[in-house]
Amino acid sequence: MPIAGLVLAFAPCDWHRAGRTERSLAAAGLAVDREPAGDSGALAAQLRAGSGPVLIVAAGAWLVARGSIPAIPASATGKPLIGVGAIRQARDEVSAWNVEAAAWSRHLRRCGGDLQRRSWLPRSLPRIAALYLDSASRHALATWLEEGAQLIDAVCRLIRNRDFRAVHLPALDVHSDDALRVLQVVTTIQIGGAERVALDLAEELNRQHVRTAVAALGSATRLAYPQPPCFRDLSTVANHPEARGDAIADAARNFGADLVHAHLLRAADARAIKARGFPLAMTVHNLAPAWPAGLAEAGPDTADFVFACAQKVEAALVEHAPGIPVRTVWNGIYPKPLAPTPERAAAGQAWRAARGWQAGDFVLTAIANPRPQKRLHLLPEIVHALQSLLPDRTVRLVLVGARTGSAETRHAVAAVEAEITRWNVEAQVHWTDGTSDVATILAASTALVSTSAFEGLSLAHLEALAAGLPVVATEVGGTAEIARQSSTLQLVPAAASAATFARRLADLPRSPPTRTPALPPSFIRYHMAGRTRRLYPRVIECARPRESSGEVWLVTNNFSTGGAQMSARRLLLGLAASGVRVRAVTVQEQPDHPTCGRAALLDAGIPVTAIAPPDERDAADGAGQILDLAGRARPRAVLFWNLIVSYKILLADGLTDTPIYDVSPGEMWFTSLAKYFAQPRPGLPYTSPREYGARLAGVVVKYAAEAARAAELGAPVRVIQNGVPIPDSVARSPAGAPLIIGTTARISPDKRLEELIDAVRCAHPRLPPYQLRIAGGIEHGITKYARELRRRARGLPVQWCGEVSEANGFLAGLDLFAMISEPAGCPNASLEAMAASLAVVATDGGGASEQVIDGVTGRLVPRADPEAFADALVDLALDSAHRTACGAAARDHVRAHFSLERMVGNYRALCRSGERFTTLSHEVAPETVAR
């Protein structure tokens, strides 16, 4: 009977490694269930669903033996058979030493393969990554799992049970690795930008715990880079997509690769790889004119994910090859070998002297292999024009690039030679014919020049900046993206004349005594590899997409006290009550110590996932956990609700097929975005709010006046005001003296309670007998501010009520509500007071003008004007009839425009659509903004 294959994916990261195990089992002739077992219950169900023998393999393991698994005979004892495969050390140059493999070697030396020869206790059991069960032992394991036994305990119970026969089966031995494993595939490893990126990625990814091998499909036609560790030479494979697909799949499977990362491959070759079941990422290194054959017509059958070397390249891919997720991964280099040092400066001087050049010569360098797109034939005229502007200096041109190679290369070289003769600069031009000593040439140079007609993102530009060398380059491809972050790179139009180049070069200052590196951190190899590493799980998820869970996710900082947190809780509970599946994720709560708000949601049956706070881990790691969760249970829509900006950027970048809506809490939203983009995270290709906005399905603001400003992100904007529950009745305290004025606000500087106290002091002589009640807990870390408030309130009848657990009870004891709170979005405190039939005196900030209609539902006064606020307090305090009428109008106004049901309905409609809304829209009634 054929053996079935089952894969275990119990750990969070196992789902991304399950594919390598499935492909290995399939190659061995096993029929593999495509859905890994995620827990003991799922495993028991899969075991119970079949009756024949089964091989259970832990995700991340792959078989050592190649080819089909030989038939496994029944035990000569007649007992049900249990076969165990040992974990073996992977014999490649990049795999780490495997402690489990060493433990298996020791154990097998002791027991000789008879696993029942010695007592096998859980504490001494090497981890089992491959377990064969015949029909009887399969159902026995299912029974014990169904009874609640843990997997390791159930397996130990099987092995110790003398009614079964347990042995080591060498044919089932496996390699195992908890790291991602990637095969980089490139056409050749000859000297070139794309080849350098592929090799640098392999080297740096291995440092970042991603096991990486390199395979080359062809032989170099010019000077080549040294072969990297774990290199696969596939140059003898026939130049045909099917043959290449087979060879790459075989190399990837034997390496235990989780995905293939291709560079410069034709679309037909890429489709052949993907057709063999490997998740495939492709890096596109240039603009459309230099794309590999067929890429401009690529579709989802070509690749699972595309990395663009520049934002300009990403935009071209989105236009020409829609249907494949694309993200920009900026090229990066290792800057240390190029950094200016006294020793390197001396080497540069010696290089000049060896050619008889003077210290004052203007040495212009171009680093590029001769190809038509590089337009090297323009350089001789630039040398001639620059020489006329610098008569006291000799201008020299160094061409760093191999003149041998293809017919295209020879044609480009001939064009350069013709222009050298035309402009009579033969004595001023020096060819290096390819060199690995770029650092010395840059140290000897005055400036780097680039005349490309189109470009991806030039490594030569980055190398020059790392060496502290000024660069003058055409504004093509990703060059402007570098220039935005480094003023040392100057741009000229792609059609610039030789005279324009010459003027820009002549204006450069003479080389300073010491150079300063000018490479922006975003273009360092470490960040290139780190971003690639974090996108690899997304590639795997795109290769094996999951059905949408139907859940709406709300991602927030925490569920501690505050208006934004209260609105989030109300929204989640309201959506759940209306039949929408919801989940919350927090990034600032300790997983084992929930806040009261989170505990309340959990008690109500709302799932909440808490990610360890960013001060304990990098935000990228926390965002990665959220993205991993989304990969396994794809949400219908995601709401960012008062979330740290770095998390927003990382999540918007990684959620490739999920509508994302950023919900603004008011002024702090814009402030936090501006603060982030003043110093954006290195390596992430989002350097402005609009670049972030392009990843959003929409922005939600909470009051109409904010919509136009939010539209600057470039994403569609919708206004959805906060909503509050409206009590059926309001139990007012008996009227009488003193008059009770109240407010609810955290004791925090942004609530501007000092302005309220100043206004009350100003109104004090004119008020009837009164008391001011302030309800709110002291925010962490601002006890000094709280003491200053109490000092400021001395002599006034102020009662500090602390944090109140039930707002309605506090509001029932008030006659008038006061609110000074800036910055403010759509404050809940005033809405709750209005729902409780209280007239409100508020400052005209944020969305207060849409809540408080001056003279109708209360009084609205200018910001930062304590005298005006005092006058409004006195006006309503002395006119009880007007105060009562305002309170009744306020309750009606909240019922019509700010009910909780209205808010929940609007968000439900938003998330149900799951699409970008295309017009700026809102649900604000005209009368709420009429002034």
Side-chain angles (χ1 to χ4, degrees), residues 501-756:
F501 271 98
R503 284 194 297 271
R504 189 64 60 86
L505 290 163
D507 289 340
L508 294 175
R510 283 182 176 266
S511 297
T514 57
R515 289 176 175 167
T516 302
L519 179 67
S522 287
F523 304 100
I524 293 174
R525 186 176 74 177
Y526 172 84
H527 291 304
M528 173 182 69
R531 175 153 170 72
T532 303
R533 169 173 57 85
R534 293 186 178 100
L535 285 173
Y536 278 155
R538 314 290 80 82
V539 178
I540 297 170
E541 291 161 7
C542 289
R544 52 188 306 166
R546 307 297 293 269
E547 292 294 325
S548 172
S549 67
E551 292 180 337
V552 172
W553 287 17
L554 187 148
V555 188
T556 188
N557 291 339
N558 56 66
F559 284 108
S560 59
T561 58
Q565 291 86 346
M566 176 58 73
S567 288
R569 288 165 54 191
R570 287 170 173 164
L571 175 61
L572 288 166
L573 292 168
L575 287 172
S578 68
V580 177
R581 296 179 60 196
V582 295
R583 176 183 296 273
V585 181
T586 67
V587 302
Q588 279 188 329
E589 292 196 31
Q590 293 290 347
D592 298 330
H593 302 284
T595 59
C596 293
R598 180 172 137 220
L601 287 171
L602 292 170
D603 289 344
I606 305 295
V608 184
T609 301
I611 304 299
D615 58 348
E616 298 183 10
R617 63 169 66 240
D618 184 75
D621 295 331
Q625 291 186 54
I626 299 172
L627 292 169
D628 289 348
L629 180 62
R632 296 191 298 275
R634 187 164 62 86
R636 177 200 299 181
V638 174
L639 302 174
F640 293 162
W641 196 281
N642 199 23
L643 181 65
I644 298 170
V645 176
S646 57
Y647 271 92
K648 291 182 184 181
I649 306 297
L650 290 159
L651 292 174
D653 181 63
L655 292 167
T656 59
D657 61 351
T658 301
I660 304 165
Y661 304 98
D662 194 345
V663 182
S664 163
E667 180 65 31
M668 67 181 69
W669 187 73
F670 298 99
T671 301
S672 61
L673 282 173
K675 183 178 179 181
Y676 173 86
F677 286 111
Q679 192 172 1
R681 186 184 181 93
L684 273 179
Y686 305 97
T687 59
S688 71
R690 289 190 72 86
E691 290 170 345
Y692 163 62
R695 294 292 182 215
L696 301 175
V699 172
V700 176
V701 297
K702 298 187 178 183
Y703 61 99
E706 191 183 31
R709 187 177 178 189
E712 295 174 4
L713 266 73
V717 178
R718 188 169 184 177
V719 181
I720 302 179
Q721 302 99 327
N722 284 344
V724 296
I726 303 170
D728 294 332
S729 60
V730 180
R732 293 250 76 82
S733 299
L739 179 83
I740 306 298
I741 303 169
T743 192
T744 54
R746 287 176 290 109
I747 309 301
S748 171
D750 67 288
K751 297 303 181 182
R752 302 289 181 90
L753 290 173
E754 67 274 13
E755 291 187 16
L756 176 60

Side-chain angles (χ1 to χ4, degrees), residues 3 53-55 63-65 69-75 81-88 104 108 111-115 120 128 130-134 165-174:
I3 304 172
V54 63
L55 177 60
L63 293 168
V64 172
I69 294 177
I72 298 176
S75 171
L81 180 64
I82 302 166
V84 176
I87 296 175
R88 299 298 190 183
W104 266 106
L108 291 176
C111 72
D114 183 349
L115 303 183
W120 193 310
I128 295 177
L131 178 69
Y132 169 86
L133 304 172
D134 66 9
R165 181 68 177 128
V167 296
H168 167 235
L169 297 178
L172 306 183
D173 287 353
V174 295

Side-chain angles (χ1 to χ4, degrees), residues 191-210:
I191 290 180
E195 295 84 354
R196 179 72 269 165
V197 167
L199 295 174
D200 278 359
L201 267 179
E203 183 177 349
E204 188 64 38
L205 285 169
N206 278 309
R207 288 196 178 100
Q208 297 188 23
H209 197 57
V210 177

Side-chain angles (χ1 to χ4, degrees), residues 419-437:
E419 289 299 296
I420 290 173
T421 302
R422 177 187 175 193
W423 294 103
N424 194 27
V425 292
E426 292 91 339
Q428 296 168 263
V429 178
H430 176 76
W431 289 89
T432 67
D433 289 321
T435 179
S436 58
D437 193 11

Side-chain angles (χ1 to χ4, degrees), residues 271-436:
R271 282 192 290 271
I273 298 169
K274 190 174 185 307
R276 283 152 179 79
F278 282 89
L280 178 63
M282 296 181 69
T283 290
V284 177
H285 295 271
N286 216 320
L287 290 174
W291 284 353
L295 186 59
E297 297 79 35
D301 64 333
T302 307
D304 297 297
F305 211 105
V306 176
F307 302 153
C309 68
Q311 292 165 304
K312 281 281 190 180
V313 176
E314 178 181 338
L317 285 162
V318 170
E319 178 183 356
H320 293 287
I324 308 176
V326 185
R327 289 294 184 268
T328 295
V329 179
W330 279 323
N331 287 346
I333 64 169
Y334 182 48
K336 186 175 179 180
L338 299 152
T341 63
E343 294 77 16
R344 195 154 290 124
Q349 293 167 6
W351 192 87
R352 282 188 177 220
R355 286 149 186 81
W357 299 354
Q358 302 301 310
D361 290 355
F362 192 113
V363 179
L364 193 60
T365 295
I367 301 176
N369 289 314
R371 285 180 294 179
Q373 78 176 72
K374 300 298 184 180
R375 299 194 301 181
L376 298 180
H377 64 280
L378 300 179
L379 292 171
E381 185 180 0
I382 293 173
V383 170
H384 181 269
L386 181 58
Q387 186 65 77
S388 67
L389 296 177
L390 301 174
D392 60 332
R393 304 174 68 184
T394 300
V395 177
R396 302 190 183 277
L397 173 64
V398 179
L399 293 169
V400 181
R403 285 185 281 183
T404 59
S406 65
E408 182 183 67
T409 297
R410 293 193 297 272
H411 178 77
V413 170
V416 175
E417 296 287 2
E419 289 299 296
I420 290 173
T421 302
R422 177 187 175 193
W423 294 103
N424 194 27
V425 292
E426 292 91 339
Q428 296 168 263
V429 178
H430 176 76
W431 289 89
T432 67
D433 289 321
T435 179
S436 58

Side-chain angles (χ1 to χ4, degrees), residues 40-67:
S40 296
L43 176 60
Q46 290 178 320
L47 291 172
R48 192 65 77 188
S51 58
V54 63
L55 177 60
I56 305 170
V57 183
W62 69 103
L63 293 168
V64 172
R66 302 182 185 183

